[in-house]
PDB file of all heavy atoms in Angstrom:
ATOM      1  N   PRO X 915      -3.566  -9.896   4.210  1.00  0.00           N
ATOM      2  CA  PRO X 915      -3.169  -8.537   3.879  1.00  0.00           C
ATOM      3  C   PRO X 915      -3.660  -8.122   2.491  1.00  0.00           C
ATOM      4  O   PRO X 915      -3.794  -8.956   1.606  1.00  0.00           O
ATOM      5  CB  PRO X 915      -1.634  -8.629   3.899  1.00  0.00           C
ATOM      6  CG  PRO X 915      -1.343 -10.036   3.487  1.00  0.00           C
ATOM      7  CD  PRO X 915      -2.466 -10.869   4.044  1.00  0.00           C
ATOM      8  N   GLY X 916      -3.905  -6.829   2.354  1.00  0.00           N
ATOM      9  CA  GLY X 916      -4.292  -6.319   1.049  1.00  0.00           C
ATOM     10  C   GLY X 916      -5.251  -5.158   1.160  1.00  0.00           C
ATOM     11  O   GLY X 916      -5.745  -4.824   2.240  1.00  0.00           O
ATOM     12  N   HIS X 917      -5.513  -4.566   0.022  1.00  0.00           N
ATOM     13  CA  HIS X 917      -6.432  -3.437  -0.052  1.00  0.00           C
ATOM     14  C   HIS X 917      -7.735  -3.883  -0.711  1.00  0.00           C
ATOM     15  O   HIS X 917      -7.731  -4.711  -1.628  1.00  0.00           O
ATOM     16  CB  HIS X 917      -5.845  -2.300  -0.888  1.00  0.00           C
ATOM     17  CG  HIS X 917      -4.734  -1.556  -0.218  1.00  0.00           C
ATOM     18  ND1 HIS X 917      -3.434  -1.962  -0.295  1.00  0.00           N
ATOM     19  CD2 HIS X 917      -4.739  -0.440   0.553  1.00  0.00           C
ATOM     20  CE1 HIS X 917      -2.670  -1.109   0.384  1.00  0.00           C
ATOM     21  NE2 HIS X 917      -3.438  -0.181   0.913  1.00  0.00           N
ATOM     22  N   VAL X 918      -8.837  -3.309  -0.265  1.00  0.00           N
ATOM     23  CA  VAL X 918     -10.125  -3.511  -0.899  1.00  0.00           C
ATOM     24  C   VAL X 918     -10.938  -2.244  -0.669  1.00  0.00           C
ATOM     25  O   VAL X 918     -10.767  -1.577   0.361  1.00  0.00           O
ATOM     26  CB  VAL X 918     -10.835  -4.775  -0.340  1.00  0.00           C
ATOM     27  CG1 VAL X 918     -11.121  -4.630   1.143  1.00  0.00           C
ATOM     28  CG2 VAL X 918     -12.107  -5.111  -1.090  1.00  0.00           C
ATOM     29  N   ALA X 919     -11.792  -1.873  -1.634  1.00  0.00           N
ATOM     30  CA  ALA X 919     -12.553  -0.621  -1.508  1.00  0.00           C
ATOM     31  C   ALA X 919     -14.028  -0.867  -1.794  1.00  0.00           C
ATOM     32  O   ALA X 919     -14.372  -1.666  -2.673  1.00  0.00           O
ATOM     33  CB  ALA X 919     -11.998   0.429  -2.465  1.00  0.00           C
ATOM     34  N   LEU X 920     -14.875  -0.150  -1.070  1.00  0.00           N
ATOM     35  CA  LEU X 920     -16.322  -0.337  -1.148  1.00  0.00           C
ATOM     36  C   LEU X 920     -17.001   1.009  -1.361  1.00  0.00           C
ATOM     37  O   LEU X 920     -16.560   2.024  -0.816  1.00  0.00           O
ATOM     38  CB  LEU X 920     -16.847  -0.971   0.144  1.00  0.00           C
ATOM     39  CG  LEU X 920     -16.051  -2.147   0.719  1.00  0.00           C
ATOM     40  CD1 LEU X 920     -16.596  -2.523   2.088  1.00  0.00           C
ATOM     41  CD2 LEU X 920     -16.111  -3.340  -0.222  1.00  0.00           C
ATOM     42  N   SER X 921     -18.104   0.996  -2.103  1.00  0.00           N
ATOM     43  CA  SER X 921     -18.927   2.211  -2.192  1.00  0.00           C
ATOM     44  C   SER X 921     -20.351   1.807  -2.498  1.00  0.00           C
ATOM     45  O   SER X 921     -20.604   0.758  -3.084  1.00  0.00           O
ATOM     46  CB  SER X 921     -18.398   3.171  -3.260  1.00  0.00           C
ATOM     47  OG  SER X 921     -18.556   2.632  -4.553  1.00  0.00           O
ATOM     48  N   GLU X 922     -21.284   2.638  -2.092  1.00  0.00           N
ATOM     49  CA  GLU X 922     -22.713   2.391  -2.344  1.00  0.00           C
ATOM     50  C   GLU X 922     -23.150   3.137  -3.598  1.00  0.00           C
ATOM     51  O   GLU X 922     -22.318   3.712  -4.306  1.00  0.00           O
ATOM     52  CB  GLU X 922     -23.541   2.825  -1.132  1.00  0.00           C
ATOM     53  CG  GLU X 922     -24.142   1.670  -0.341  1.00  0.00           C
ATOM     54  CD  GLU X 922     -25.234   0.917  -1.110  1.00  0.00           C
ATOM     55  OE1 GLU X 922     -25.606   1.338  -2.217  1.00  0.00           O
ATOM     56  OE2 GLU X 922     -25.707  -0.102  -0.590  1.00  0.00           O
ATOM     57  N   ASN X 923     -24.427   3.172  -3.829  1.00  0.00           N
ATOM     58  CA  ASN X 923     -24.923   3.672  -5.102  1.00  0.00           C
ATOM     59  C   ASN X 923     -25.825   4.892  -4.943  1.00  0.00           C
ATOM     60  O   ASN X 923     -26.732   5.101  -5.741  1.00  0.00           O
ATOM     61  CB  ASN X 923     -25.684   2.543  -5.820  1.00  0.00           C
ATOM     62  CG  ASN X 923     -25.828   2.820  -7.285  1.00  0.00           C
ATOM     63  OD1 ASN X 923     -24.997   3.515  -7.877  1.00  0.00           O
ATOM     64  ND2 ASN X 923     -26.903   2.328  -7.872  1.00  0.00           N
ATOM     65  N   HIS X 924     -25.587   5.678  -3.900  1.00  0.00           N
ATOM     66  CA  HIS X 924     -26.382   6.883  -3.684  1.00  0.00           C
ATOM     67  C   HIS X 924     -25.457   8.011  -3.243  1.00  0.00           C
ATOM     68  O   HIS X 924     -24.492   7.769  -2.519  1.00  0.00           O
ATOM     69  CB  HIS X 924     -27.412   6.680  -2.569  1.00  0.00           C
ATOM     70  CG  HIS X 924     -28.307   5.500  -2.778  1.00  0.00           C
ATOM     71  ND1 HIS X 924     -29.408   5.557  -3.594  1.00  0.00           N
ATOM     72  CD2 HIS X 924     -28.265   4.261  -2.275  1.00  0.00           C
ATOM     73  CE1 HIS X 924     -29.994   4.373  -3.577  1.00  0.00           C
ATOM     74  NE2 HIS X 924     -29.326   3.571  -2.787  1.00  0.00           N
ATOM     75  N   ALA X 925     -25.824   9.219  -3.635  1.00  0.00           N
ATOM     76  CA  ALA X 925     -25.125  10.366  -3.068  1.00  0.00           C
ATOM     77  C   ALA X 925     -25.444  10.419  -1.582  1.00  0.00           C
ATOM     78  O   ALA X 925     -26.606  10.335  -1.183  1.00  0.00           O
ATOM     79  CB  ALA X 925     -25.581  11.650  -3.760  1.00  0.00           C
ATOM     80  N   GLY X 926     -24.417  10.522  -0.763  1.00  0.00           N
ATOM     81  CA  GLY X 926     -24.657  10.513   0.678  1.00  0.00           C
ATOM     82  C   GLY X 926     -23.378  10.487   1.459  1.00  0.00           C
ATOM     83  O   GLY X 926     -22.345  11.001   1.005  1.00  0.00           O
ATOM     84  N   GLU X 927     -23.441   9.897   2.627  1.00  0.00           N
ATOM     85  CA  GLU X 927     -22.316   9.932   3.554  1.00  0.00           C
ATOM     86  C   GLU X 927     -22.018   8.534   4.077  1.00  0.00           C
ATOM     87  O   GLU X 927     -22.937   7.726   4.233  1.00  0.00           O
ATOM     88  CB  GLU X 927     -22.642  10.833   4.751  1.00  0.00           C
ATOM     89  CG  GLU X 927     -22.919  12.279   4.365  1.00  0.00           C
ATOM     90  CD  GLU X 927     -23.460  13.095   5.521  1.00  0.00           C
ATOM     91  OE1 GLU X 927     -23.766  12.514   6.577  1.00  0.00           O
ATOM     92  OE2 GLU X 927     -23.578  14.318   5.344  1.00  0.00           O
ATOM     93  N   VAL X 928     -20.744   8.292   4.348  1.00  0.00           N
ATOM     94  CA  VAL X 928     -20.369   7.096   5.088  1.00  0.00           C
ATOM     95  C   VAL X 928     -20.415   7.448   6.576  1.00  0.00           C
ATOM     96  O   VAL X 928     -19.862   8.460   6.995  1.00  0.00           O
ATOM     97  CB  VAL X 928     -18.960   6.619   4.694  1.00  0.00           C
ATOM     98  CG1 VAL X 928     -18.466   5.548   5.657  1.00  0.00           C
ATOM     99  CG2 VAL X 928     -18.971   6.078   3.272  1.00  0.00           C
ATOM    100  N   VAL X 929     -21.126   6.646   7.351  1.00  0.00           N
ATOM    101  CA  VAL X 929     -21.239   6.862   8.789  1.00  0.00           C
ATOM    102  C   VAL X 929     -20.536   5.702   9.483  1.00  0.00           C
ATOM    103  O   VAL X 929     -20.894   4.536   9.274  1.00  0.00           O
ATOM    104  CB  VAL X 929     -22.711   6.929   9.226  1.00  0.00           C
ATOM    105  CG1 VAL X 929     -22.820   7.069  10.737  1.00  0.00           C
ATOM    106  CG2 VAL X 929     -23.414   8.092   8.530  1.00  0.00           C
ATOM    107  N   ALA X 930     -19.530   6.033  10.299  1.00  0.00           N
ATOM    108  CA  ALA X 930     -18.777   4.996  11.008  1.00  0.00           C
ATOM    109  C   ALA X 930     -19.257   4.933  12.453  1.00  0.00           C
ATOM    110  O   ALA X 930     -19.350   5.957  13.126  1.00  0.00           O
ATOM    111  CB  ALA X 930     -17.282   5.313  10.959  1.00  0.00           C
ATOM    112  N   LEU X 931     -19.585   3.738  12.895  1.00  0.00           N
ATOM    113  CA  LEU X 931     -20.041   3.531  14.266  1.00  0.00           C
ATOM    114  C   LEU X 931     -19.072   2.573  14.960  1.00  0.00           C
ATOM    115  O   LEU X 931     -19.199   1.357  14.831  1.00  0.00           O
ATOM    116  CB  LEU X 931     -21.456   2.942  14.276  1.00  0.00           C
ATOM    117  CG  LEU X 931     -22.570   3.825  13.711  1.00  0.00           C
ATOM    118  CD1 LEU X 931     -23.865   3.026  13.600  1.00  0.00           C
ATOM    119  CD2 LEU X 931     -22.775   5.034  14.596  1.00  0.00           C
ATOM    120  N   PRO X 932     -18.103   3.108  15.688  1.00  0.00           N
ATOM    121  CA  PRO X 932     -17.254   2.220  16.487  1.00  0.00           C
ATOM    122  C   PRO X 932     -18.114   1.607  17.596  1.00  0.00           C
ATOM    123  O   PRO X 932     -18.928   2.299  18.203  1.00  0.00           O
ATOM    124  CB  PRO X 932     -16.199   3.164  17.076  1.00  0.00           C
ATOM    125  CG  PRO X 932     -16.371   4.467  16.392  1.00  0.00           C
ATOM    126  CD  PRO X 932     -17.748   4.521  15.870  1.00  0.00           C
ATOM    127  N   MET X 933     -17.955   0.333  17.847  1.00  0.00           N
ATOM    128  CA  MET X 933     -18.790  -0.356  18.838  1.00  0.00           C
ATOM    129  C   MET X 933     -17.902  -0.986  19.898  1.00  0.00           C
ATOM    130  O   MET X 933     -16.948  -1.702  19.591  1.00  0.00           O
ATOM    131  CB  MET X 933     -19.662  -1.412  18.154  1.00  0.00           C
ATOM    132  CG  MET X 933     -20.655  -0.787  17.167  1.00  0.00           C
ATOM    133  SD  MET X 933     -21.631  -2.008  16.282  1.00  0.00           S
ATOM    134  CE  MET X 933     -22.682  -2.606  17.600  1.00  0.00           C
ATOM    135  N   GLN X 934     -18.240  -0.712  21.161  1.00  0.00           N
ATOM    136  CA  GLN X 934     -17.522  -1.305  22.276  1.00  0.00           C
ATOM    137  C   GLN X 934     -18.040  -2.703  22.548  1.00  0.00           C
ATOM    138  O   GLN X 934     -19.171  -3.052  22.135  1.00  0.00           O
ATOM    139  CB  GLN X 934     -17.673  -0.435  23.525  1.00  0.00           C
ATOM    140  CG  GLN X 934     -16.947   0.900  23.434  1.00  0.00           C
ATOM    141  CD  GLN X 934     -15.444   0.751  23.265  1.00  0.00           C
ATOM    142  OE1 GLN X 934     -14.855  -0.207  23.770  1.00  0.00           O
ATOM    143  NE2 GLN X 934     -14.824   1.667  22.524  1.00  0.00           N
ATOM    144  N   HIS X 935     -17.260  -3.469  23.258  1.00  0.00           N
ATOM    145  CA  HIS X 935     -17.640  -4.849  23.569  1.00  0.00           C
ATOM    146  C   HIS X 935     -19.027  -4.877  24.236  1.00  0.00           C
ATOM    147  O   HIS X 935     -19.280  -4.151  25.185  1.00  0.00           O
ATOM    148  CB  HIS X 935     -16.600  -5.470  24.495  1.00  0.00           C
ATOM    149  CG  HIS X 935     -16.906  -6.894  24.861  1.00  0.00           C
ATOM    150  ND1 HIS X 935     -16.882  -7.913  23.936  1.00  0.00           N
ATOM    151  CD2 HIS X 935     -17.282  -7.458  26.027  1.00  0.00           C
ATOM    152  CE1 HIS X 935     -17.202  -9.047  24.525  1.00  0.00           C
ATOM    153  NE2 HIS X 935     -17.456  -8.794  25.805  1.00  0.00           N
ATOM    154  N   GLY X 936     -19.902  -5.684  23.702  1.00  0.00           N
ATOM    155  CA  GLY X 936     -21.244  -5.826  24.263  1.00  0.00           C
ATOM    156  C   GLY X 936     -22.271  -4.878  23.687  1.00  0.00           C
ATOM    157  O   GLY X 936     -23.474  -5.046  23.904  1.00  0.00           O
ATOM    158  N   GLN X 937     -21.846  -3.891  22.913  1.00  0.00           N
ATOM    159  CA  GLN X 937     -22.789  -2.909  22.365  1.00  0.00           C
ATOM    160  C   GLN X 937     -23.550  -3.501  21.175  1.00  0.00           C
ATOM    161  O   GLN X 937     -23.003  -4.305  20.409  1.00  0.00           O
ATOM    162  CB  GLN X 937     -22.021  -1.664  21.930  1.00  0.00           C
ATOM    163  CG  GLN X 937     -22.894  -0.484  21.569  1.00  0.00           C
ATOM    164  CD  GLN X 937     -22.051   0.740  21.177  1.00  0.00           C
ATOM    165  OE1 GLN X 937     -20.821   0.719  21.258  1.00  0.00           O
ATOM    166  NE2 GLN X 937     -22.738   1.784  20.745  1.00  0.00           N
ATOM    167  N   GLN X 938     -24.800  -3.106  21.039  1.00  0.00           N
ATOM    168  CA  GLN X 938     -25.620  -3.548  19.911  1.00  0.00           C
ATOM    169  C   GLN X 938     -26.224  -2.343  19.201  1.00  0.00           C
ATOM    170  O   GLN X 938     -26.467  -1.305  19.825  1.00  0.00           O
ATOM    171  CB  GLN X 938     -26.761  -4.446  20.390  1.00  0.00           C
ATOM    172  CG  GLN X 938     -26.390  -5.901  20.603  1.00  0.00           C
ATOM    173  CD  GLN X 938     -27.630  -6.742  20.821  1.00  0.00           C
ATOM    174  OE1 GLN X 938     -28.458  -6.411  21.657  1.00  0.00           O
ATOM    175  NE2 GLN X 938     -27.764  -7.811  20.067  1.00  0.00           N
ATOM    176  N   MET X 939     -26.505  -2.506  17.922  1.00  0.00           N
ATOM    177  CA  MET X 939     -27.101  -1.418  17.154  1.00  0.00           C
ATOM    178  C   MET X 939     -28.066  -2.002  16.117  1.00  0.00           C
ATOM    179  O   MET X 939     -27.753  -2.991  15.460  1.00  0.00           O
ATOM    180  CB  MET X 939     -26.001  -0.625  16.441  1.00  0.00           C
ATOM    181  CG  MET X 939     -26.459   0.674  15.839  1.00  0.00           C
ATOM    182  SD  MET X 939     -27.036   1.851  17.067  1.00  0.00           S
ATOM    183  CE  MET X 939     -25.488   2.396  17.779  1.00  0.00           C
ATOM    184  N   TRP X 940     -29.244  -1.375  16.016  1.00  0.00           N
ATOM    185  CA  TRP X 940     -30.228  -1.763  15.006  1.00  0.00           C
ATOM    186  C   TRP X 940     -30.043  -0.841  13.807  1.00  0.00           C
ATOM    187  O   TRP X 940     -29.962   0.382  13.954  1.00  0.00           O
ATOM    188  CB  TRP X 940     -31.640  -1.613  15.580  1.00  0.00           C
ATOM    189  CG  TRP X 940     -32.744  -2.083  14.674  1.00  0.00           C
ATOM    190  CD1 TRP X 940     -33.383  -3.289  14.703  1.00  0.00           C
ATOM    191  CD2 TRP X 940     -33.374  -1.345  13.600  1.00  0.00           C
ATOM    192  NE1 TRP X 940     -34.357  -3.355  13.735  1.00  0.00           N
ATOM    193  CE2 TRP X 940     -34.376  -2.178  13.038  1.00  0.00           C
ATOM    194  CE3 TRP X 940     -33.192  -0.079  13.063  1.00  0.00           C
ATOM    195  CZ2 TRP X 940     -35.191  -1.774  11.985  1.00  0.00           C
ATOM    196  CZ3 TRP X 940     -33.986   0.325  12.001  1.00  0.00           C
ATOM    197  CH2 TRP X 940     -34.971  -0.519  11.471  1.00  0.00           C
ATOM    198  N   VAL X 941     -29.990  -1.420  12.627  1.00  0.00           N
ATOM    199  CA  VAL X 941     -29.750  -0.641  11.408  1.00  0.00           C
ATOM    200  C   VAL X 941     -30.822  -0.996  10.390  1.00  0.00           C
ATOM    201  O   VAL X 941     -31.172  -2.168  10.211  1.00  0.00           O
ATOM    202  CB  VAL X 941     -28.348  -0.951  10.827  1.00  0.00           C
ATOM    203  CG1 VAL X 941     -28.130  -0.224   9.508  1.00  0.00           C
ATOM    204  CG2 VAL X 941     -27.260  -0.575  11.815  1.00  0.00           C
ATOM    205  N   ARG X 942     -31.329   0.034   9.719  1.00  0.00           N
ATOM    206  CA  ARG X 942     -32.330  -0.209   8.688  1.00  0.00           C
ATOM    207  C   ARG X 942     -31.703  -1.018   7.545  1.00  0.00           C
ATOM    208  O   ARG X 942     -30.533  -0.810   7.198  1.00  0.00           O
ATOM    209  CB  ARG X 942     -32.853   1.121   8.147  1.00  0.00           C
ATOM    210  CG  ARG X 942     -33.965   0.948   7.150  1.00  0.00           C
ATOM    211  CD  ARG X 942     -34.554   2.291   6.758  1.00  0.00           C
ATOM    212  NE  ARG X 942     -34.938   2.297   5.366  1.00  0.00           N
ATOM    213  CZ  ARG X 942     -35.953   1.625   4.864  1.00  0.00           C
ATOM    214  NH1 ARG X 942     -36.706   0.887   5.652  1.00  0.00           N
ATOM    215  NH2 ARG X 942     -36.227   1.672   3.573  1.00  0.00           N
ATOM    216  N   GLU X 943     -32.506  -1.907   6.973  1.00  0.00           N
ATOM    217  CA  GLU X 943     -31.987  -2.772   5.914  1.00  0.00           C
ATOM    218  C   GLU X 943     -31.455  -1.942   4.746  1.00  0.00           C
ATOM    219  O   GLU X 943     -31.943  -0.866   4.460  1.00  0.00           O
ATOM    220  CB  GLU X 943     -33.073  -3.745   5.441  1.00  0.00           C
ATOM    221  CG  GLU X 943     -34.265  -3.065   4.812  1.00  0.00           C
ATOM    222  CD  GLU X 943     -35.345  -4.044   4.390  1.00  0.00           C
ATOM    223  OE1 GLU X 943     -35.410  -5.139   4.954  1.00  0.00           O
ATOM    224  OE2 GLU X 943     -36.128  -3.692   3.484  1.00  0.00           O
ATOM    225  N   HIS X 944     -30.477  -2.477   4.068  1.00  0.00           N
ATOM    226  CA  HIS X 944     -29.831  -1.867   2.896  1.00  0.00           C
ATOM    227  C   HIS X 944     -28.947  -0.670   3.222  1.00  0.00           C
ATOM    228  O   HIS X 944     -28.459  -0.005   2.317  1.00  0.00           O
ATOM    229  CB  HIS X 944     -30.851  -1.447   1.836  1.00  0.00           C
ATOM    230  CG  HIS X 944     -31.701  -2.573   1.343  1.00  0.00           C
ATOM    231  ND1 HIS X 944     -31.188  -3.706   0.771  1.00  0.00           N
ATOM    232  CD2 HIS X 944     -33.044  -2.746   1.381  1.00  0.00           C
ATOM    233  CE1 HIS X 944     -32.174  -4.518   0.450  1.00  0.00           C
ATOM    234  NE2 HIS X 944     -33.304  -3.972   0.821  1.00  0.00           N
ATOM    235  N   ARG X 945     -28.753  -0.364   4.494  1.00  0.00           N
ATOM    236  CA  ARG X 945     -27.885   0.754   4.839  1.00  0.00           C
ATOM    237  C   ARG X 945     -26.485   0.273   5.238  1.00  0.00           C
ATOM    238  O   ARG X 945     -25.563   1.061   5.342  1.00  0.00           O
ATOM    239  CB  ARG X 945     -28.485   1.581   5.984  1.00  0.00           C
ATOM    240  CG  ARG X 945     -29.786   2.239   5.665  1.00  0.00           C
ATOM    241  CD  ARG X 945     -29.612   3.472   4.783  1.00  0.00           C
ATOM    242  NE  ARG X 945     -29.354   3.176   3.386  1.00  0.00           N
ATOM    243  CZ  ARG X 945     -30.276   2.983   2.464  1.00  0.00           C
ATOM    244  NH1 ARG X 945     -31.529   3.064   2.786  1.00  0.00           N
ATOM    245  NH2 ARG X 945     -29.951   2.736   1.215  1.00  0.00           N
ATOM    246  N   PHE X 946     -26.355  -1.011   5.477  1.00  0.00           N
ATOM    247  CA  PHE X 946     -25.084  -1.593   5.903  1.00  0.00           C
ATOM    248  C   PHE X 946     -24.073  -1.548   4.765  1.00  0.00           C
ATOM    249  O   PHE X 946     -24.367  -1.968   3.646  1.00  0.00           O
ATOM    250  CB  PHE X 946     -25.350  -3.046   6.334  1.00  0.00           C
ATOM    251  CG  PHE X 946     -24.124  -3.885   6.500  1.00  0.00           C
ATOM    252  CD1 PHE X 946     -23.178  -3.570   7.453  1.00  0.00           C
ATOM    253  CD2 PHE X 946     -23.932  -5.010   5.717  1.00  0.00           C
ATOM    254  CE1 PHE X 946     -22.047  -4.355   7.614  1.00  0.00           C
ATOM    255  CE2 PHE X 946     -22.816  -5.807   5.866  1.00  0.00           C
ATOM    256  CZ  PHE X 946     -21.871  -5.477   6.816  1.00  0.00           C
ATOM    257  N   LEU X 947     -22.884  -1.011   5.074  1.00  0.00           N
ATOM    258  CA  LEU X 947     -21.815  -1.023   4.074  1.00  0.00           C
ATOM    259  C   LEU X 947     -20.822  -2.133   4.390  1.00  0.00           C
ATOM    260  O   LEU X 947     -20.563  -2.996   3.551  1.00  0.00           O
ATOM    261  CB  LEU X 947     -21.110   0.332   4.038  1.00  0.00           C
ATOM    262  CG  LEU X 947     -20.077   0.519   2.925  1.00  0.00           C
ATOM    263  CD1 LEU X 947     -20.732   0.501   1.559  1.00  0.00           C
ATOM    264  CD2 LEU X 947     -19.302   1.826   3.109  1.00  0.00           C
ATOM    265  N   THR X 948     -20.286  -2.134   5.596  1.00  0.00           N
ATOM    266  CA  THR X 948     -19.347  -3.193   5.973  1.00  0.00           C
ATOM    267  C   THR X 948     -19.142  -3.170   7.490  1.00  0.00           C
ATOM    268  O   THR X 948     -19.503  -2.197   8.154  1.00  0.00           O
ATOM    269  CB  THR X 948     -17.990  -3.019   5.254  1.00  0.00           C
ATOM    270  OG1 THR X 948     -17.145  -4.126   5.549  1.00  0.00           O
ATOM    271  CG2 THR X 948     -17.298  -1.747   5.684  1.00  0.00           C
ATOM    272  N   ALA X 949     -18.583  -4.242   8.012  1.00  0.00           N
ATOM    273  CA  ALA X 949     -18.248  -4.314   9.437  1.00  0.00           C
ATOM    274  C   ALA X 949     -16.980  -5.118   9.592  1.00  0.00           C
ATOM    275  O   ALA X 949     -16.647  -5.966   8.751  1.00  0.00           O
ATOM    276  CB  ALA X 949     -19.384  -4.957  10.233  1.00  0.00           C
ATOM    277  N   THR X 950     -16.266  -4.840  10.678  1.00  0.00           N
ATOM    278  CA  THR X 950     -15.070  -5.638  10.963  1.00  0.00           C
ATOM    279  C   THR X 950     -15.501  -7.027  11.416  1.00  0.00           C
ATOM    280  O   THR X 950     -16.625  -7.225  11.903  1.00  0.00           O
ATOM    281  CB  THR X 950     -14.221  -4.954  12.040  1.00  0.00           C
ATOM    282  OG1 THR X 950     -15.040  -4.661  13.175  1.00  0.00           O
ATOM    283  CG2 THR X 950     -13.636  -3.668  11.515  1.00  0.00           C
ATOM    284  N   GLY X 951     -14.587  -7.982  11.267  1.00  0.00           N
ATOM    285  CA  GLY X 951     -14.943  -9.386  11.474  1.00  0.00           C
ATOM    286  C   GLY X 951     -15.449  -9.708  12.865  1.00  0.00           C
ATOM    287  O   GLY X 951     -16.157 -10.700  13.051  1.00  0.00           O
ATOM    288  N   ASN X 952     -15.087  -8.900  13.860  1.00  0.00           N
ATOM    289  CA  ASN X 952     -15.520  -9.219  15.222  1.00  0.00           C
ATOM    290  C   ASN X 952     -16.892  -8.640  15.557  1.00  0.00           C
ATOM    291  O   ASN X 952     -17.342  -8.736  16.688  1.00  0.00           O
ATOM    292  CB  ASN X 952     -14.483  -8.732  16.247  1.00  0.00           C
ATOM    293  CG  ASN X 952     -14.112  -7.279  16.026  1.00  0.00           C
ATOM    294  OD1 ASN X 952     -14.618  -6.649  15.100  1.00  0.00           O
ATOM    295  ND2 ASN X 952     -13.239  -6.754  16.855  1.00  0.00           N
ATOM    296  N   ILE X 953     -17.565  -8.031  14.603  1.00  0.00           N
ATOM    297  CA  ILE X 953     -18.940  -7.563  14.807  1.00  0.00           C
ATOM    298  C   ILE X 953     -19.874  -8.651  14.282  1.00  0.00           C
ATOM    299  O   ILE X 953     -19.782  -9.042  13.117  1.00  0.00           O
ATOM    300  CB  ILE X 953     -19.209  -6.258  14.026  1.00  0.00           C
ATOM    301  CG1 ILE X 953     -18.261  -5.154  14.468  1.00  0.00           C
ATOM    302  CG2 ILE X 953     -20.664  -5.843  14.145  1.00  0.00           C
ATOM    303  CD1 ILE X 953     -18.695  -4.352  15.637  1.00  0.00           C
TER     304      ILE X 953
END
Side-chain angles (χ1 to χ4, degrees):
Chain X
H917 287 87
V918 62
L920 315 172
S921 68
E922 251 292 355
N923 199 28
H924 306 278
E927 299 170 352
V928 169
V929 177
L931 295 172
M933 296 177 71
Q934 291 298 328
H935 180 67
Q937 190 179 356
Q938 277 191 309
M939 191 64 75
W940 185 98
V941 176
R942 184 174 144 70
E943 63 182 24
H944 302 302
R945 297 284 77 87
F946 167 63
L947 187 66
T948 185
T950 52
N952 51 359
I953 301 273

